[in-house]
Structure formats: structure tokens, C-alpha cells
């Protein structure tokens, strides 16, 4: 019913996360109406992606293939004794967008999830333990996701650091009401967190 | 903050319809974790899209560059005297999915929309008028979208056919309640259509 070239694009673009058949059709049809130059730009960007990107050997953030370490780590203005531990590289972007954080980062590379076959040995925990000593880290902000996996990873990490006898302050991101949410629509757990973490004025 | 190669992909993939910054980041990150072979397949499919696809000169459906006319038109099992007029090529897929239609199609190539600068002269209406005569068309099913633009296009098309003095039956797709919708959630206009188009049992 559709030309093979279009079906191939629908098929390949449909492998992106959360893209169903209808969305893939819409994307492919958009590309069909776009000009060749802009499609070539997209295609070339996708082809060149892997060779242009690598992981920082210290923080495991994503960096340019030409860089040695993450600029957020090598920057002297960033406090190396303060480390925010995140699950994925893109979490760094989210924290940087706040404009409030002047420490460095450490990407675990995921969260402990037995259902997905991800155990603690696949996370960059040993490298963090080493960093705590070598960078004389004072505080670790455990900034994993507010999910079951994020919670277990945070707990595991906390125990690991304690087991290594490291004297480092550990903190977690605050849990509570997100901006703009009405109390009546907040779920029970969020509200419990908001109560427990209430701030005395 | 992010490697240039990744930013380029985020930028280019963010030009797809309805893809915001967060979604583009998620897609790009997925591609980063996918292997080079599968990324190359996607990139090649996008590059080859234009050269592999053309418009059928009779129905304006999308066809393989190697084909002369749409297989849905050249197929002898399809009734050429029955023509469903649709706005876009992908609308054909939607109608074919019903498995109920044995006629042929005519793609207008859009809908009249002054706000987008699309006037009737940009639609494949003259070609349809000609087909009505050459294929001795008996019925035209006007299957434009149930939007303001689709409605005006349908009305314009109907008048054009009448002005040409063509004796052809014209019909519109039924308007009414979609499957699975509760009366209380149906909007006023849909319910009005459902009342007007009620079927006597």
C-alpha cells in the first residue's frame, strides 16, 4: 500500500522509544515533504553520533570524542568536593538547568533493576568510591530518580559508601510537592514525603 | 554541556512534528545507546526516502519510484467508478485498514486553509474533475477530515463538481459517535451530528 522506501523509514523510525505506528507514519511523511538537504542533515547527524561522543572516564558524563574529561569536571570553578550522583547522563542537563549547582557529577549508568537484569556491578560505583578518596569529597548528593529502582540504588550506594568506612556527608534530593500541584491531586506518598520533609518557618 | 554530535542529533530530530526538546533528547540518547548498524539503517532509510517515492500521476497516492500508477488504481479488482477523495496520502492507509472499501482513491494534497496559504488551486481538483469523465465515475465519497478546513474543502469540491455539470453521486463520511465514547463525554457538535444522522431501526 505504501512505497517501500517510506515503509523502511516508518519501520526504522518506529524503533525510537515511545513511537507507535501512527507517530512513525507521521514522522516519515514529514520527512517525505521536507527537502533532501534537511533529510541529509538528519541522516548525517545520526551516522556521526557514535564517533563524536564518548563517556568521560572520571564522571561518565557524555563528552565530545575530542575531549579528555568532562568540562564540568575540569572547570576550576566547579567544586570537586561536592558530587551529585545521577543515573543517566541526561540527568546532568536537568540539574544544570536549575543554574543552582556548582559541584561536579558522577553518572552511575543506570539504576539497580533486577527485572531489567541490571545489578550493582554494572554501575560505576567503584569509580565513585575511588573519587571520594582521590578528590577528597565532602558531600555526595544522591540524585537518583524518585522511582523504586532509584530508591534501591540510593540505599545500596549509601551502604556501600558506609561499608568502605568513608567519612563523607551524604544527602538526597528533597521529596515533596512539585510546583503547581494542588494538594487534592497530590498522591498519598508525595504528600507523606511533603509532610515528613516540612520546613519550620 | 553535551557533546556537539549529540546536540546536532537533538537539533535535527527536534524538527520532526510534535517533537519538543525533551523528546528530542530522549530519541538522541536512545540512538546513542543503539548500535552503529541500526543507526546507519535509519540514516540510510532517511537519505533514500525521496528517491524511492513519487506521487501517482492519476490518484496522487504515494508510490514506489519504479511504479507507473498506484497499485490500488491499476488493480482490476478495484472499482474505478467509485472514488474516495482524501486530503493526504496517509488517509488512504486509514481507509484501507477498514478492509471495507473496494473503490479507488484521489488525493487532494491538502485542504483549503487560507491561514496556511493553501487555496483550492493548489489541490488536485482539476485532475479529479477529469477522472470523473474519463473513468465514468458513479460515486464520489468526499472523505476529507472532520475539521473546519476539511469541511470547507468538501463544500468547495461539491460546488466545483456541480458547476461542471457532472452527473455523479456525491457522499460524505458519516458523522457521529466514535466507538467507545460515552454520551456524557461526547461534545455538542458530535452529538448533534449523531442525532441528525440517526439510523431508523
Amino acid at each position: 500500500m505504501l512505497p517501500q522506501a517510506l515503509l523502511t523509514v516508518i519501520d526504522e523510525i518506529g524503533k525510537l522509544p515511545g513511537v507507535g505506528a501512527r507517530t512513525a507514519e507521521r514522522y516519515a511523511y514529514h520527512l517525505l515533504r521536507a527537502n533532501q538537504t534537511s533529510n541529509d542533515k538528519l541522516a548525517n547527524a545520526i551516522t556521526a553520533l557514535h564517533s563524536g561522543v564518548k563517556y568521560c572516564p572520571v564522571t561518565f558524563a557524555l563528552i565530545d570524542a575530542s575531549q579528555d574529561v568532562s568540562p564540568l569536571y575540569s572547570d576550576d570553578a566547579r567544586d570537586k568536593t561536592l558530587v551529585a550522583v545521577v543515573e543517566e547522563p541526561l540527568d546532568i542537563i536537568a540539574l544544570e538547568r536549575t543554574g543552582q549547582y556548582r559541584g561536579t557529577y558522577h553518572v552511575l549508568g543506570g539504576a539497580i533493576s533486577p527485572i531489567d537484569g541490571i545489578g550493582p556491578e554494572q554501575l560505576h560505583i567503584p569509580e565513585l568510591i575511588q573519587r571520594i578518596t582521590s578528590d577528597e569529597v565532602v558531600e555526595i548528593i544522591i540524585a537518583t530518580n524518585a522511582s523504586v529502582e532509584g530508591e534501591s540504588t540510593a540505599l545500596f550506594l549509601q551502604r556501600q559508601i558506609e561499608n568502605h568506612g568513608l567519612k563523607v556527608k551524604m544527602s538526597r534530593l528533597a521529596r515533596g510537592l512539585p510546583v503547581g500541584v494542588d494538594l487534592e491531586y497530590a498522591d498519598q506518598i508525595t504528600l507523606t514525603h511533603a509532610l515528613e520533609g516540612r520546613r519550620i518557618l
Side-chain angles (χ1 to χ4, degrees), chain A residues 14-184:
Chain A
K15 292 174 184 165
L16 291 173
V19 175
R22 300 293 169 95
T23 307
E25 279 174 15
R26 206 155 58 95
Y27 288 171
Y29 190 57
H30 169 90
L31 292 171
L32 192 64
R33 296 174 69 129
N35 63 51
Q36 186 69 40
T37 315
S38 80
N39 286 1
D40 285 345
K41 271 163 81 178
L42 172 59
N44 292 340
I46 292 169
T47 308
L49 181 58
H50 279 153
S51 57
V53 175
K54 67 175 186 186
Y55 289 96
C56 165
V58 183
T59 66
F60 299 95
L62 295 169
I63 57 173
D64 266 328
S66 60
Q67 291 170 325
D68 293 325
V69 289
S70 162
L72 291 176
Y73 181 77
S74 56
D75 183 353
D76 283 337
R78 311 289 301 213
D79 182 359
K80 286 190 184 51
T81 70
L82 176 62
V83 178
V85 179
V86 294
E87 291 180 22
E88 299 288 354
L90 293 186
D91 298 334
I92 295 177
I93 313 301
L95 286 168
E96 282 297 297
R97 279 201 187 108
T98 66
Q100 300 299 313
Y101 182 67
R102 301 306 298 162
T104 57
Y105 295 96
H106 190 89
V107 179
L108 291 175
I112 299 169
S113 171
I115 216 164
D116 300 316
I118 302 175
E121 69 287 352
Q122 282 159 270
L123 306 181
H124 300 299
I125 296 176
E127 294 91 342
L128 176 64
I129 302 285
Q130 209 192 314
R131 252 183 96 180
I132 294 174
T133 313
S134 58
D135 282 348
E136 298 173 348
V137 174
V138 173
E139 181 178 351
I140 295 278
I141 303 176
I142 304 179
T144 51
N145 288 336
S147 60
V148 175
E149 291 79 14
E151 289 296 314
S152 358
T153 307
L155 206 65
F156 181 87
L157 189 62
Q158 188 187 343
R159 294 219 181 110
Q160 281 287 98
I161 290 170
E162 285 164 359
N163 288 349
H164 278 79
L166 296 164
K167 292 272 170 292
V168 62
K169 200 164 114 190
M170 285 186 270
S171 64
R172 296 285 307 275
L173 292 182
R175 309 288 295 271
L177 293 171
V179 163
V181 157
D182 287 356
L183 271 205
E184 59 171 323

